[in-house]
């Protein structure tokens, strides 16, 4: 079972209290794909510019990540520059150069059009709808978004929400989208917009899952070093869908275990700059931390 | 097994976005005692003024709460006035009248001096030390504190920390006391100050427990209505110690279950103003929500 992701493949320039890095590999599709590739083959739909180096292509090639849907356009690659505060949960965007992303029209290769699992990364809802239009069949669609699209493209976003199974969103975005401060009310309101399930990311505080039949809460794995939070949410989604695709288990328990796998993958992501930790961690280490996650949270056995 | 608590018995005047209340029953010892009394007999050491009404005494008398150690002094009862923001996790202290608390010298009745479980509520560390001095024997001492004492009485507080088993503290206070932003590092540093275990309260995000042999993380019970967060932390500690005293189980699993019972009690506390919900909820409702807590967090069965 492969997972299809549409999203950004980018250069990130990042400053944190612990150091800085220039034009490293980033973007929602990159983090998602690397996170999911521990568990299942991944296909990327996205765009890069002429300046995108072979070294970064090789990062994907070293894993079961198919790049037939990653088109190279004239111009420069999308580039984000951000700075994290002393409180590592806060960040400012310093520069945003859309470059080739500005004219991007996603085109799914023929082989991608029968997808089992699809992740609509955080891009313009118009592009997310276009991807859905090109799909012939699909088992499960998961979608991410952000405050910018909630403000600027809410009508299109709501069309997307009517066509997906699971929305992944952070807590402040859930409040913004729903109009409710209380997170339980926010989740209930968003479920009425279409998704069967919502996963609310709370950073170092973990994840809340809501559906009509289940409420699940899990803490984040406590870390002594959080080096760079970039990509935590996308690699969470990658681990979540990757494990779902690997297990084929969409029971309530199966979905919960997938959430924990996503949390484990995200906990590795933030341990080093950019995608570095995702490229050197092993599946065995992920499985080991999953077991530790059970120890971390178990109180009734 | 009874639990002894030393702390404040107070009038609270509270404004929240949902309403306000004048001079209702409050104070750390009150919330703790009511929270613990579902599970075990409680003894209060504290002080009230001449203006403290019989109605409030009756709240304790209706439960297994012994008031021999609650002295009535000349003057008025300690009175706190606070206002919660739209973001209910934030509050301002508008007025603080120490009144009889200013000259309080805790005196343990003879029958209290062989205590099994002792909770040193959030009061001056000098008073906490005085209570410890008067105890002949004790099984388990749990202590709370706040930013004020960390700033003003850190030397005395550190003496207390060397003589207790468990410190209950919120996350910002743990950062302040340790000097570390990262909560794992903060917990490790505080464990070196003496306590065998630290419980870090994170409000709507739950609780983290650290000891040399265990790290446990639990979310808070998600609530659609948080009416008044006052007393959540103290009633958490009450539920925690009350269950420990009831079960006598200080194994790793037993301590974790006590943390969850504390979380359940706190989740009821915030559902209404002041101690109201704690006075009308039943042990059966608490046990039922404990079972729901298992459903909320379980992913591996």
């Amino acid at each position: 079972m492969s997972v299809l992701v549409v999203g950004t493949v980018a250069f990130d320039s990042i400053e944190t209290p612990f150091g800085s890095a220039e034009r490293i590999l980033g973007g929602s599709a990159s983090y998602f794909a690397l996170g999911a590739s521990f568990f299942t083959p991944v296909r990327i739909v996205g765009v890069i510019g002429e300046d995108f180096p072979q070294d970064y292509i090789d990062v994907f090639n070293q894993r079961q990540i198919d790049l037939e849907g990653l088109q190279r356009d004239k111009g420069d690659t999308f580039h984000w520059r951000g700075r994290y505060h002393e409180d590592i949960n806060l960040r400012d965007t310093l520069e945003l150069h859309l470059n080739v992303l500005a004219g991007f029209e996603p085109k799914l290769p023929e082989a991608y059009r029968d997808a089992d699992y699809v992740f609509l990364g955080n891009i313009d809802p118009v592009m997310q709808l276009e991807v859905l239009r090109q799909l012939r069949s699909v088992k499960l669609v998961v979608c991410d978004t952000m405050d910018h699209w909630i403000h600027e493209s809410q009508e299109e976003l709501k069309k997307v929400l009517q066509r997906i199974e699971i929305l992944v969103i952070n807590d402040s975005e859930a409040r913004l989208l729903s109009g409710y401060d209380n997170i339980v009310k926010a989740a209930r309101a968003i479920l009425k917009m279409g998704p069967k399930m919502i996963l609310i990311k709370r950073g170092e505080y973990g994840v809340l899952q809501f559906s009509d039949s289940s409420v699940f809460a899990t803490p984040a794995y406590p870390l002594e070093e959080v080096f760079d939070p970039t990509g935590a949410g996308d690699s969470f989604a990658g681990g979540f869908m990757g494990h779902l695709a690997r297990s084929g288990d969409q029971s309530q328990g199966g979905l919960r275990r997938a959430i924990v796998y996503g949390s484990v993958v995200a906990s590795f992501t933030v341990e080093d700059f950019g995608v570095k930790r995702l490229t050197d961690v092993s599946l065995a280490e992920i499985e080991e931390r999953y077991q530790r996650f059970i120890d971390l949270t178990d109180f009734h056995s």
Side-chain angles (χ1 to χ4, degrees), chain A:
Chain A
M1 293 285 185
S2 71
V3 176
L4 172 69
V5 52
V6 55
T8 56
V9 176
F11 292 137
D12 282 350
S13 295
I14 300 168
E15 288 174 57
T16 83
F18 314 107
S20 64
E22 280 291 310
R23 294 167 70 86
I24 57 176
L25 174 58
S28 60
S30 305
Y31 280 101
F32 178 93
L34 289 166
S37 70
F38 293 101
F39 307 102
T40 195
V42 184
R43 294 161 162 179
I44 293 183
V45 173
V47 62
I48 51 176
E50 296 159 305
D51 56 353
F52 198 78
Q54 186 60 36
D55 283 1
Y56 291 0
I57 298 282
D58 290 342
V59 170
F60 298 121
N61 285 338
Q62 280 151 23
R63 305 284 275 278
Q64 45 184 342
I65 299 171
D66 183 289
L67 300 180
E68 193 192 337
L70 182 65
Q71 63 194 64
R72 190 186 285 267
D73 284 1
K74 279 195 178 159
D76 289 338
T77 300
F78 172 53
H79 183 193
W80 173 76
R81 183 181 296 277
R83 183 190 291 143
Y84 289 87
H85 296 215
E86 278 297 321
D87 175 352
I88 199 88
N89 298 302
L90 302 175
R91 76 178 186 195
D92 298 319
T93 289
L94 303 180
E95 294 176 34
L96 193 72
H97 304 283
L98 289 180
N99 298 335
V100 292
L101 195 63
F104 177 50
E105 293 176 11
K107 278 184 214 78
L108 272 58
E110 182 58 28
Y112 284 22
R113 294 182 61 199
D114 297 292
D116 300 308
Y117 298 88
V118 172
F119 181 66
L120 304 173
N122 170 26
I123 53 171
D124 190 331
V126 173
M127 292 184 200
Q128 294 177 325
L129 284 169
E130 179 55 28
V131 169
L132 290 175
R133 199 189 58 76
Q134 292 178 38
L135 287 165
R136 261 191 304 258
S137 71
V138 61
K139 274 192 182 162
L140 181 77
V141 181
V142 181
C143 173
D144 188 12
T145 192
M146 70 184 294
D147 49 1
H148 176 76
W149 309 118
I150 296 170
H151 283 300
E152 302 298 326
S153 308
Q154 190 154 151
E155 199 175 322
E156 287 74 18
L157 177 60
K158 287 196 170 166
K159 284 184 199 160
V160 175
L161 293 181
Q162 285 170 10
R163 297 191 51 191
I164 63 167
E165 276 72 39
I166 302 177
L167 178 66
V168 179
I169 194 168
N170 73 34
D171 44 5
S172 63
E173 291 158 359
R175 292 187 169 103
L176 182 67
L177 177 58
S178 67
Y180 287 106
D181 272 343
N182 177 284
I183 206 69
V184 181
K185 283 185 182 163
R188 298 273 174 237
I190 293 169
L191 286 177
K192 287 191 183 139
M193 298 177 189
K196 309 277 177 296
M197 180 180 296
I198 175 167
L199 300 182
I200 297 176
K201 298 174 286 184
R202 306 201 280 181
E204 67 168 316
Y205 301 115
V207 177
L208 279 174
Q209 173 226 47
F210 291 88
S211 70
D212 282 346
S213 59
S214 165
V215 181
F216 174 58
T218 186
Y221 191 83
L223 292 170
E224 233 170 297
E225 304 281 355
V226 175
F227 212 76
D228 172 14
T230 311
D234 293 307
S235 60
F236 162 79
F240 169 72
M241 286 194 84
H243 174 73
L244 271 188
R246 172 176 76 164
S247 68
D249 179 4
Q250 289 187 37
S251 69
Q252 203 177 102
L255 287 160
R256 289 173 171 215
R257 285 183 284 278
I259 291 167
V260 174
Y261 271 105
S263 302
V264 167
V265 169
S267 76
F268 282 111
T269 304
V270 303
E271 286 184 340
D272 207 335
F273 260 114
V275 300
K276 185 162 187 311
R277 193 75 181 98
L278 282 179
T279 61
D280 64 27
V281 71
S282 68
L283 179 56
E285 287 174 280
I286 290 171
E287 298 291 359
E288 191 207 338
R289 192 170 284 182
Y290 180 87
Q291 291 303 318
R292 283 176 182 241
F293 215 101
I294 294 176
D295 296 339
L296 172 75
T297 54
D298 181 51
F299 59 91
H300 52 95
S301 64

